[in-house]
């Protein structure tokens, strides 16, 4: 989880640094290109090519389109609002899963899940400030990215029933590279990273894969009720980084709203854990 927190934070800072030269589509294109290189290298070294399947390409495409959209919105948000505010709104993704899973996964919406979802929505309003003065393009895109990340989570869950992690990562990087090429090149002008920006582009590509690798492994060796509270350390960590690197002053409402969002997530996790026991 320490690796996950460091990777997500590094990706946020790097995303803001490259925004001076690259738009979000170009960032995603280069991130996916680096991802393809890493995944193909690992597959070649470990002999994992045989585990890459072309089944369920439609579901892969929907998943990766949702992730591509959410990640573009997220990269835009980190350039226009405080990093802590972006992370706080991103943490609503599990609550959107609760709301949307009855439609996509056929799961039942229990009373505790409904309470958790309502707490998440209350947290969103608090983060955006109760008088709505804080509503702007950055807040809207950060909140919207959480919905697309929730769709990604649910479609990933569906894929894991029949697909291995290497197959999912291969289709993730290759499909999003195509999406990035189309979106970045529609105007016939794709910017090439300058030497000063290139290291940050590499950080985005490597940190993006490493963050999800670390998070997946953490969930494999520890209960979600342990992992999720640790993941929320990302919020104060990125707030400190924002203050030190960019001089950001974070509104106290961001932390209050994040606490409400965390409480909703954690109550739902505790309830689900008791059910399985």
């Amino acid at each position: 989880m320490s690796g996950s927190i460091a990777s997500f934070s590094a990706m946020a800072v790097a995303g803001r640094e490259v925004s001076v030269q690259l738009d979000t589509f170009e960032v995603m294109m280069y991130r996916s290109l680096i991802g393809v290189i890493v995944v193909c290298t690992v597959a070649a070294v470990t002999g994992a090519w045989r585990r890459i399947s072309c089944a369920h390409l439609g579901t892969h495409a929907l998943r990766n389109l949702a992730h591509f959209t959410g990640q573009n919105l997220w990269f835009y948000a980190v350039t226009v609002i405080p990093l802590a505010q972006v992370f706080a709104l991103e943490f609503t993704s599990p609550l959107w899963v609760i709301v949307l899973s009855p439609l996509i996964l056929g799961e039942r919406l229990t009373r505790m899940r409904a309470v958790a979802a309502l707490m998440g929505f209350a947290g969103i309003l608090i983060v955006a400030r109760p008088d709505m003065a804080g509503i702007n393009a950055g807040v809207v895109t950060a909140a919207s990215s959480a919905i697309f990340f929730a769709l990604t989570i649910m479609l990933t869950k569906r894929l894991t029933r029949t697909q291995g992690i290497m197959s999912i990562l291969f289709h993730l990087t290759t499909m999003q590279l195509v999406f990035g090429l189309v979106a970045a090149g529609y105007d016939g002008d794709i910017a090439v990273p300058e030497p000063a920006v290139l290291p940050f582009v590499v950080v985005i590509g490597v940190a993006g894969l490493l963050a999800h690798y670390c998070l997946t492994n953490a969930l494999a060796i520890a209960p979600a009720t342990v992992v999720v509270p640790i993941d929320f350390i990302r919020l104060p960590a990125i707030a400190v980084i924002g203050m030190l690197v960019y001089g950001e002053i974070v509104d106290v409402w961001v932390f209050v709203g994040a606490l409400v969002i965390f409480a909703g997530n954690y109550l739902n996790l505790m309830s689900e854990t008791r059910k399985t026991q």
Side-chain angles (χ1 to χ4, degrees), residues 33-34 39 51 71 80 111 130 133 169 179 211 240 252 259 274:
L33 176 60
I34 294 169
V39 170
R51 296 200 294 270
Q71 196 69 74
V80 293
R111 182 178 300 176
L169 286 176
F179 296 157
V240 171
V252 67
L259 185 61
R274 282 197 294 270

Side-chain angles (χ1 to χ4, degrees), residues 213-224 227:
Y213 175 81
C214 290
L215 183 59
T216 301
N217 276 277
L219 288 167
I221 61 177
V227 171

Side-chain angles (χ1 to χ4, degrees), residues 17-18 20-22 191-202:
E17 293 297 321
V18 302
V20 298
Q21 185 193 350
L22 306 176
V192 177
E194 295 177 356
V197 171
L198 187 58
F200 293 108
V201 174
V202 174

